[in-house]
Amino acid sequence: MKRTRIIRGGVAAAAALALAAGLSSCGKADPYYSGSPNTVTLPIAAWAGSEANVAVAKQILEKKLGYRVKTLQMDEPVMFDALNTGRADAMMEDWRGVPKKEKKYVEELKTVVNAGELGVTGHIGWYVPTYFAKEHPEVKDWKNLPKLKKYFQTPESGDKGQMLEGSPSFSTYDAQIIKNLDLPYKTVYAGSEAAQVKEIQKRAAKKEPFLTYWWTPQWLNSKVPMTEVKLPKRTPGCDKVPSKVDCAYPYTPLTKFMNRDFAENGGKAAEFLKKFHWSTEEQTKVVKWMTIDKMDTDEAAAKWVEQNPDKWKKWMPN
């Protein structure tokens, strides 16, 4: 799977191209497989954790179970559409960021099913570099952000503080939170996760302050330590209406989803993917090999499989 790695957050146009190029030619000869009964189609979200999940699953499906794995790059909302139509079989990592799609396909149409938790817990939030938090510990409370805005002003944000974002395709509520908390800040998009990472690394190298939308687990955290800015505590329904969100992001057990027919009739491949369950530490190790150590994706996955037979053998179908 040699290709340019996008760390997290795809661009809608790229997703559309991937969908058109990779999916339009897929004949649906079988009601649950994309292409043939021996082929499993797995979409990859544009961040490294998703890529690591699929790479490890691909290694085992192909080398141990005899399947052919087809991978497709696309954003989360497009993944649900692909699962609904049967053009993709299983989504390995969802951050529950598209509740309308989930409700439509899982609850209403019942064409997509929850395939269990991945084992990794994700958390999104507002972060500053730890070196800045040590100099200005008051930044850890959102109420102090107005008086600290001068540190985060950029040409793009004007007289407001900058909230650095990644891709516009991310499911975020930062602009709404800023508005509802009446904060003198402005969201500024780097354009992609790769661009966001580059900007963070550039500022960190100069020990410059920045405020950014960020998440854990993420490989860059081992390179640039960051401290979370505590937003208002979550209350029931505080993020139910997107335009009225005024609270912190949740801690989210990342979840797998499958096309319903594949889940019911996908044989050993479906059984294996349902059992696929690893820890944040295990995923982060593979991501480190892929990103920091610059290892080829398939090589990183193969290395993990070779080193962890006791783990993945528990996922094997009966």
Side-chain angles (χ1 to χ4, degrees):
M1 192 160 60
K2 284 183 178 291
R3 57 185 176 79
T4 301
R5 177 172 297 115
I6 303 174
I7 308 303
R8 186 179 194 274
V11 179
L17 287 172
L19 187 63
L23 296 180
S24 62
S25 62
C26 281
K28 200 178 178 188
D30 184 281
Y32 49 88
Y33 284 108
S34 302
S36 77
N38 294 320
T39 298
V40 180
T41 302
L42 300 178
I44 303 174
W47 58 82
S50 175
E51 187 173 351
N53 302 328
V54 172
V56 170
K58 178 176 180 285
Q59 282 289 319
I60 299 170
L61 283 167
E62 291 189 338
K63 307 298 185 184
K64 309 299 180 181
L65 293 173
Y67 287 88
R68 172 180 176 267
V69 175
K70 182 177 182 179
T71 61
L72 300 166
Q73 186 97 34
M74 58 181 70
D75 291 330
E76 274 181 292
V78 183
M79 284 190 187
F80 273 100
D81 296 334
L83 290 179
N84 169 61
T85 61
R87 288 175 168 176
D89 295 317
M91 180 196 309
M92 297 299 293
E93 178 178 314
D94 175 63
W95 284 63
R96 314 307 284 269
V98 282
K100 289 184 179 179
K101 296 270 188 179
E102 185 177 335
K103 181 179 180 181
K104 177 181 178 180
Y105 296 136
V106 178
E107 298 179 18
E108 297 174 3
L109 297 179
K110 302 185 186 303
T111 53
V112 177
V113 298
N114 186 315
E117 293 181 1
L118 175 65
V120 178
T121 297
H123 177 59
I124 293 169
W126 291 6
Y127 288 83
V128 296
T130 298
Y131 56 76
F132 181 82
K134 288 181 178 178
E135 293 180 2
H136 301 275
E138 66 273 22
V139 76
K140 290 184 279 187
D141 187 334
W142 70 271
K143 293 178 182 178
N144 295 316
L145 287 176
K147 66 182 182 182
L148 294 170
K149 75 168 185 176
K150 65 179 181 180
Y151 294 103
F152 305 113
Q153 286 177 287
T154 67
E156 292 78 14
S157 66
D159 62 352
K160 297 181 179 181
Q162 175 177 286
M163 163 61 69
L164 178 64
E165 303 276 351
S167 167
S169 70
F170 287 177
S171 299
T172 68
Y173 302 113
D174 301 316
Q176 294 90 330
I177 294 172
I178 288 171
K179 179 181 178 181
N180 295 327
L181 295 182
D182 195 25
L183 294 174
Y185 282 76
K186 178 183 178 180
T187 55
V188 177
Y189 288 89
S192 68
E193 182 190 348
Q196 184 181 12
V197 167
K198 186 176 180 180
E199 181 68 16
I200 289 173
Q201 290 176 318
K202 182 179 74 173
R203 289 181 175 273
K206 299 178 181 179
K207 296 294 182 182
E208 294 177 349
F210 60 84
L211 173 66
T212 187
Y213 161 97
W214 202 240
W215 59 93
T216 60
Q218 219 287 345
W219 67 270
L220 187 63
N221 298 335
S222 65
K223 291 290 190 178
V224 181
M226 290 189 238
T227 298
E228 186 173 6
V229 176
K230 295 297 182 183
L231 292 170
K233 187 177 180 180
R234 291 181 60 78
T235 56
C238 70
D239 58 358
K240 185 175 182 180
V241 180
S243 64
K244 297 182 179 180
V245 177
D246 61 358
C247 59
Y249 287 89
Y251 283 85
T252 306
L254 305 187
T255 306
K256 299 172 292 181
F257 286 91
M258 288 183 177
N259 168 272
R260 185 195 64 194
D261 290 334
F262 173 77
E264 294 175 355
N265 304 303
K268 292 182 178 181
E271 187 178 348
F272 162 74
L273 293 173
K274 289 174 186 176
K275 291 181 177 181
F276 190 111
H277 187 279
W278 64 348
S279 67
T280 299
E281 292 72 25
E282 289 165 323
Q283 185 195 73
T284 301
K285 180 180 290 186
V286 177
V287 170
K288 174 184 177 295
W289 293 337
M290 290 161 43
T291 55
I292 298 175
D293 299 341
K294 306 298 183 182
M295 188 179 293
D296 175 75
T297 301
D298 285 337
E299 291 176 1
K303 180 177 179 179
W304 187 90
V305 171
E306 181 181 358
Q307 292 182 357
N308 296 273
D310 292 344
K311 180 69 178 181
W312 59 260
K313 284 182 178 179
K314 296 177 182 178
W315 308 338
M316 299 300 279
N318 296 324

